[in-house]
Amino acid sequence: MPRFMGFVRMEEGVGTPPQALFDAMDTYIGQQAAKGVFLDGGGLYGTEDAVNFVVRQGEVSRVDGPYAEAKEVVGGWAILQYDTLEEAVAEQQEFAELHAKHWPEVTVISTLRQISTGPEEPGA
């Protein structure tokens, strides 16, 4: 059964989501977990305490947050498992629609990517 990672990206510093979104997400995630679809996930704090390790030309450097150049940040993530890619895409759209309904003033990008288990092509 293919597994997927969902990401929610948004502009940093837009504030805390409204309680209505938290409530809707609790219900939605509870339903997905009961179906065995939602495996793990959660929200992320801002970049003020983030650490990046940059590998450039064989050298590793550390860059601590906050990052003034960051326009969008990952605000949340989930590991999901579906029978088909089509089912995963449909559910990701429903997840995005929760944000549109309960936090319409914020631009959110909801991304879904299949998790690789090796060198095969997606959907294999």
Side-chain angles (χ1 to χ4, degrees):
M1 187 176 292
R3 292 184 312 147
F4 300 85
M5 181 165 246
F7 301 93
V8 175
R9 295 181 320 207
M10 62 194 67
E11 185 177 328
E12 179 137 56
V14 295
T16 303
Q19 187 61 46
L21 178 58
F22 282 120
D23 295 343
M25 295 278 292
D26 284 346
T27 299
Y28 179 79
I29 290 169
Q31 292 168 346
Q32 298 300 80
K35 293 191 307 189
V37 170
F38 180 86
L39 304 180
D40 198 7
L44 299 172
Y45 290 114
T47 63
E48 59 274 0
D49 295 322
V51 177
N52 282 333
F53 290 93
V54 179
V55 178
R56 186 177 291 121
Q57 298 180 348
E59 298 290 324
V60 177
S61 60
R62 176 179 168 161
V63 181
D64 294 328
Y67 307 106
E69 71 281 358
K71 299 221 184 312
E72 289 179 357
V73 296
V74 175
W77 61 279
I79 303 291
L80 309 155
Q81 182 170 273
Y82 294 96
D83 291 327
T84 66
L85 174 62
E86 293 78 17
E87 183 183 0
V89 170
E91 293 288 344
Q92 189 73 6
Q93 181 171 346
E94 185 177 340
F95 178 79
E97 288 171 354
L98 286 177
H99 289 77
K101 178 179 180 180
H102 297 288
W103 207 14
E105 61 276 9
V106 173
T107 299
V108 173
I109 301 168
S110 182
T111 301
L112 180 74
R113 294 181 61 186
Q114 188 169 348
I115 297 173
S116 173
T117 58
E120 80 282 348
E121 294 292 318

